[in-house]
């Protein structure tokens, strides 16, 4: 059994997190970039949106406040 104290996630500083990411970045593989293709509306099936969510989105401004 180890007595190593591991900091809770909330105790990790942003600098430590950025350092961890920088050390991992060389190991990440970047996939080829492909353009998203539009989907024909006739191919979209089974998507339901609750009325309250539809009203929320409808009430939002198009370009932010």
């Amino acid at each position: 059994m180890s007595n190593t104290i591991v900091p809770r996630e909330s105790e990790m500083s942003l600098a430590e997190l950025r350092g961890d990411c920088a050390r991992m970045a060389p190991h990440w593989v970047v996939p080829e970039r492909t353009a998203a293709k539009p989907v024909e509306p006739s191919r979209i099936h089974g998507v339901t949106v609750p009325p309250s969510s539809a009203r929320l989105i409808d009430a939002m401004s198009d370009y932010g406040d």
Side-chain angles (χ1 to χ4, degrees):
M1 184 160 180
S2 175
N3 289 340
T4 304
I5 297 173
V6 178
R8 291 190 332 240
E9 186 175 336
S10 62
E11 294 175 352
M12 178 181 266
S13 73
L14 179 57
E16 290 171 314
L17 178 60
R18 291 181 69 195
D20 287 347
C21 291
R23 284 187 293 281
M24 291 186 291
H27 305 286
W28 294 335
V29 177
V30 179
E32 279 189 39
R33 189 171 189 101
T34 58
K37 298 176 184 173
V39 176
E40 297 173 21
S42 63
R43 296 190 62 201
I44 300 173
H45 300 284
V47 176
T48 58
V49 178
S52 58
S53 295
R55 283 192 303 273
L56 173 69
I57 298 300
D58 190 42
M60 295 174 78
S61 64
D62 291 340
Y63 302 101
D65 295 328

